């Protein structure tokens, strides 16, 4: 399918449509394309994080400031250790992931040097959405993931809301509306928390899961909050 063609709805978990959509999206990504897809918070646009040309395409698609980092997206917590230096307990990672949280950690040498070359840190997402996780597992390296909207515009909860981006996308996976389209809270995106300093955490973006995230970090793990 050409640009602007939507995949089958992504919530058909075990049907052929689901497998076809994952395979089509993986193929588009491996070919250097950009794929729009549903996550557990808002619609996102993904490319292969290790593909420098595709990373540049995402910045130009969004009109995004080149100094603004992209997060990486993985299918499982185990894969995180390959691309990040982890200094928190594995159990903490599993308490927050998969979920609507981006964990900022020190990056490892494995990660593409052209991805966020201006920082030694990287944000990691494992969305609590079976389609994205399945797609991430189907690709050899991490996905680079950002919200499906022009920079500084509102996040999108349906595919029609980012219609102006369709012509530049290789594939659009329509998973239906995400959350409550009428609720501003649903458009907040993930809670972004910096865990790169041992024993501390810094909230970079409050996002949609602030209270539960802070509770886990403080009450259960005794981390100390630093202000951003």
């Amino acid at each position: 399918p050409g640009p602007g063609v939507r995949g089958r709805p992504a919530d058909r978990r075990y049907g052929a449509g689901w497998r076809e959509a994952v395979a089509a999206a993986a193929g588009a990504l491996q070919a250097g394309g950009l794929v729009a897809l549903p996550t557990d918070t808002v619609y996102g646009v993904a490319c292969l994080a290790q593909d420098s040309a595709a990373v540049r395409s995402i910045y130009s698609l969004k009109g995004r400031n080149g100094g603004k980092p992209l997060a990486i997206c993985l299918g499982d917590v185990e894969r995180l250790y390959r691309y990040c230096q982890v200094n928190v307990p594995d159990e903490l990672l599993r308490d927050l992931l998969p979920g609507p949280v981006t964990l900022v950690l020190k990056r490892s040498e494995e990660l593409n040097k052209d991805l966020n070359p201006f920082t030694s840190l990287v944000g990691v997402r494992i969305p609590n959405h079976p389609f994205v996780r399945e797609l991430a597992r189907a690709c050899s390296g991490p996905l680079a993931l950002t919200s499906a909207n022009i920079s500084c515009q509102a996040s999108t909860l349906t595919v029609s809301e980012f219609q102006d981006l369709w012509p530049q996308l290789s594939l659009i996976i329509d998973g239906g509306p995400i959350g409550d389209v009428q609720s501003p809270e649903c458009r907040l995106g993930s809670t972004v928390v910096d865990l790169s300093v041992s024993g501390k955490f810094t909230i970079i973006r409050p996002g949609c899961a602030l209270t539960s995230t802070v509770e886990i970090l403080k009450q259960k793990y005794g981390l100390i909050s630093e202000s951003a």
Side-chain angles (χ1 to χ4, degrees):
V5 175
R6 300 185 213 169
R8 297 275 287 281
D11 47 14
R12 300 274 299 282
R13 182 66 185 89
Y14 294 108
W18 173 275
R19 286 193 301 275
E20 282 162 17
V22 170
L29 291 171
Q30 305 288 8
L34 307 183
V35 173
L37 39 71
T39 74
D40 54 354
T41 54
V42 296
Y43 269 86
V45 175
C47 74
L48 294 187
Q50 305 297 74
D51 181 339
S52 301
V55 168
R56 287 193 294 276
S57 297
I58 274 201
Y59 278 93
S60 89
L61 169 85
K62 286 182 60 101
R64 190 179 175 91
N65 168 351
K68 236 179 141 183
L70 292 174
I72 61 169
C73 169
L74 301 166
D76 300 285
V77 170
E78 300 79 68
R79 297 193 68 192
L80 192 145
Y81 290 88
R82 183 167 176 187
Y83 302 103
C84 304
Q85 297 170 34
V86 180
N87 55 359
V88 294
D90 187 71
E91 193 187 352
L92 183 156
L93 299 179
R94 292 171 191 279
D95 278 344
L96 295 176
L97 302 174
V101 183
T102 301
L103 301 185
V104 177
L105 299 161
K106 284 200 164 64
R107 59 193 285 157
S108 79
E109 290 298 309
E110 287 275 332
L111 201 56
N112 180 5
K113 302 284 186 292
D114 291 335
L115 182 81
N116 314 335
F118 43 81
T119 174
S120 59
L121 306 177
V122 67
V124 186
R125 277 278 270 135
I126 302 179
N128 190 14
H129 191 292
F131 182 83
V132 188
R133 294 185 68 195
E134 205 66 45
L135 177 59
R137 290 183 189 122
C139 296
S140 51
L143 307 181
L145 184 66
T146 182
S147 52
N149 57 321
I150 303 284
S151 272
C152 302
Q153 291 185 5
S155 301
T156 55
L157 300 176
T158 67
V159 294
S160 59
E161 289 179 350
F162 57 88
Q163 224 164 339
D164 46 349
L165 302 183
W166 287 7
Q168 292 155 273
L169 298 167
S170 301
L171 189 69
I172 297 157
I173 302 295
D174 186 351
I178 298 172
D180 177 0
V181 177
Q182 301 306 317
S183 159
E185 284 75 42
C186 281
R187 295 183 190 271
L188 291 175
S190 62
T191 295
V192 182
V193 57
D194 186 336
L195 294 176
S196 62
V197 178
S198 290
K200 299 180 177 170
F201 72 92
T202 305
I203 298 296
I204 295 172
R205 181 175 75 190
C208 62
L210 180 64
T211 310
S212 56
T213 302
V214 168
E215 201 170 292
I216 287 168
L217 296 174
K218 276 187 172 170
Q219 311 316 8
K220 188 166 179 184
Y221 294 98
L223 298 190
I224 294 160
S225 171
E226 300 267 284
S227 52

